Amino acid sequence: MIHARITGTGSFAPKKVLTNHDLEKMVDTSDEWIFERTGIRERRICEKGQTTSDLAYEAAHRAIKAAGITAQDLDLIIVGTLTPDSAMPSLGCVLQAKLHAKKAAAFDIYAACSGFIYGLSVADAFIRSGVHETILVVGAEALSRYTDWEDRTTCVLWGDGAGAAVVQRHAGKRGILSTHLHSDGSYGDVLHIPGGGAAHPATHDTVDKRMHFIKMKGNETFKIAVRALEDVVQEALDHNKVKAEDIDLLVPHQANLRIIQAMAKRLNMPMEKVILTIHKYGNTSAASIPMALDEAVRDGRVKENKLILLEAFGGGLTWASALIRW
Ligand code: UT7
């Protein structure tokens, strides 16, 4: 039996910390409001000049080392991001150059917060079909560069960071058991960056109208997210014929503690089985799952043969799950 197995993980967050108390000085908000509504206490923000590829490089380097391979062994690099260093080239190609991963093809996946699971799904398909043997999947974001620091409804949410996983061919029962991907583009405008694309290329007017920042209808997104995540998690359980109690660890996208608690309740899962990083990193979009996964791998909560469920929801709208036998 051929599976795609994660053989190494890595993550990286910029040093600079922005606390809720710092935000109290910037917009009309409070530590109490932010923590109660989201579970966030602080987040990391890129230094001036630090870019998404810098974060991605550090995370990738750690994952490659953990897998016991070199960058030259990589057949493919897949990066989930909505904040590449520039519109072209792709972040994957920038990362490929920084890693000197000469043999690897590279591309980006544009599925917002679901980007890492989407990437994992593509890697899984390439490996099980025999096309590639060793793939690096990265989630990396510098959301602070797209944050409207005058909009209290969004600026308190986002953070910067990167996470990575080396995925390799494994003849055996362990590895990615299933992935399920979903999208509904009819809800595109509940979570979007309206400016900077072909519809509204950058002009003085788009800048004046603040169209280059992330906009979100938070409450609407919240409600759709809970429903969609419940469905995609059930789909993963049904597909694999496993029960919720069989799941050893949940590694959710870290958008809102209340959404994560709702999912844990739905799975009848104690919060000890849920990996949480939202309090210290905020919502890092595509980076949040691989950052949380790496933390749990390194502190020993992820163990051989454990059944691990990943789930994400984000702009697009997109949502996804992956079930892994570690
Ligand atoms: O990662 C991609 C997917 N993202 C998500 O899934 C995020 C989903 N949404 C959320 O996490 C939540 O909707 C938010 C955390 C964004 C907002 O929480 P909420 O409980 O849905 O609050 P709300 O938007 O309904 O706003 C409640 C009140 C409003 O005031 P009024 O109209 O009731 O007077 C807001 O103006 O809270 C106000 N408010 C704030 N107050 C203090 C909004 N932002 C802030 C703030 N500080 N930062």
Side-chain angles (χ1 to χ4, degrees):
M1 196 183 300
I2 299 301
H3 276 111
R5 195 164 77 82
I6 294 178
T7 54
T9 61
S11 61
F12 183 77
K15 275 205 186 79
K16 190 173 166 189
V17 176
L18 187 74
T19 67
N20 290 351
H21 294 296
D22 294 329
L23 282 161
E24 284 173 350
K25 293 171 205 143
M26 297 161 64
V27 287
D28 179 17
T29 191
S30 65
D31 173 51
E32 194 189 359
W33 191 96
I34 301 170
F35 187 68
E36 269 179 17
R37 301 284 177 132
T38 69
I40 301 169
R41 284 281 188 213
E42 58 186 44
R43 68 287 292 140
R44 302 294 184 88
I45 302 293
C46 282
E47 302 281 355
K48 199 167 184 285
Q50 197 173 28
T51 65
T52 315
S53 65
D54 296 330
L55 312 184
Y57 172 79
E58 294 296 340
H61 183 68
R62 290 169 191 195
I64 288 166
K65 196 166 167 219
I69 61 164
T70 69
Q72 288 69 46
D73 296 320
L74 297 172
D75 299 315
L76 180 66
I77 297 172
I78 304 172
V79 183
T81 188
L82 64 97
T83 55
D85 290 3
S86 56
M88 190 169 70
S90 69
L91 186 57
C93 284
V94 177
L95 180 61
Q96 188 246 14
K98 285 193 174 183
L99 288 169
H100 303 291
K102 294 274 182 224
K103 192 174 74 166
F107 60 85
D108 291 358
I109 287 194
Y110 207 62
C113 308
S114 309
F116 181 76
I117 300 184
Y118 268 60
L120 216 50
S121 179
V122 174
D124 179 44
F126 269 129
I127 286 174
R128 281 189 299 101
S129 64
V131 175
H132 293 306
E133 296 220 340
T134 301
I135 300 178
L136 177 71
V137 183
V138 179
E141 304 284 10
L143 295 179
S144 62
R145 300 278 154 76
Y146 290 81
T147 298
D148 185 346
W149 295 107
E150 293 180 12
D151 175 8
R152 69 171 184 172
T153 68
T154 54
C155 76
V156 302
L157 305 172
W158 321 122
D160 300 340
V166 172
V167 185
Q168 292 187 284
R169 186 178 188 277
H170 168 73
K173 288 185 178 165
R174 289 159 58 208
I176 299 168
L177 303 181
S178 71
T179 58
H180 289 97
L181 312 182
H182 295 278
S183 308
D184 189 344
S186 66
Y187 287 109
D189 68 344
V190 304
L191 177 48
H192 66 149
I193 301 170
H200 302 288
T203 61
H204 289 293
D205 190 45
T206 60
V207 172
D208 290 345
K209 288 182 175 151
R210 311 183 81 74
M211 289 171 69
H212 298 273
F213 296 126
I214 306 168
K215 319 265 180 206
M216 180 167 72
K217 294 174 187 159
N219 209 270
E220 200 176 335
T221 308
F222 189 104
K223 287 178 193 152
I224 305 168
V226 172
R227 269 202 316 272
L229 287 170
E230 278 188 6
D231 288 350
V232 80
V233 162
Q234 192 57 50
E235 187 180 19
L237 298 178
D238 292 346
H239 179 87
N240 292 284
K241 298 186 177 56
V242 297
K243 295 194 221 57
E245 8 345 338
D246 298 332
I247 307 291
D248 294 304
L249 277 181
L250 176 66
V251 186
H253 169 49
Q254 314 276 319
N256 187 310
L257 182 59
R258 289 182 291 142
I259 296 178
I260 297 172
Q261 286 167 333
M263 292 315 299
K265 198 169 163 204
R266 172 78 179 72
L267 288 165
N268 207 10
M269 184 180 263
M271 286 305 283
E272 295 76 60
K273 285 184 166 189
V274 183
I275 309 301
L276 291 177
T277 58
I278 186 163
H279 54 290
K280 55 182 178 181
Y281 296 139
N283 181 347
T284 58
S285 184
S288 88
I289 289 177
M291 288 174 83
L293 183 64
D294 181 53
E295 184 167 309
V297 168
R298 284 173 195 270
D299 69 20
R301 280 177 289 174
V302 170
K303 293 188 181 73
E304 204 170 301
N305 279 318
K306 293 280 181 205
L307 198 56
I308 297 170
L309 180 63
L310 317 183
E311 44 93 332
F313 181 88
L317 294 172
T318 58
W319 59 102
S321 74
L323 190 69
I324 301 171
R325 174 69 67 189
W326 200 263

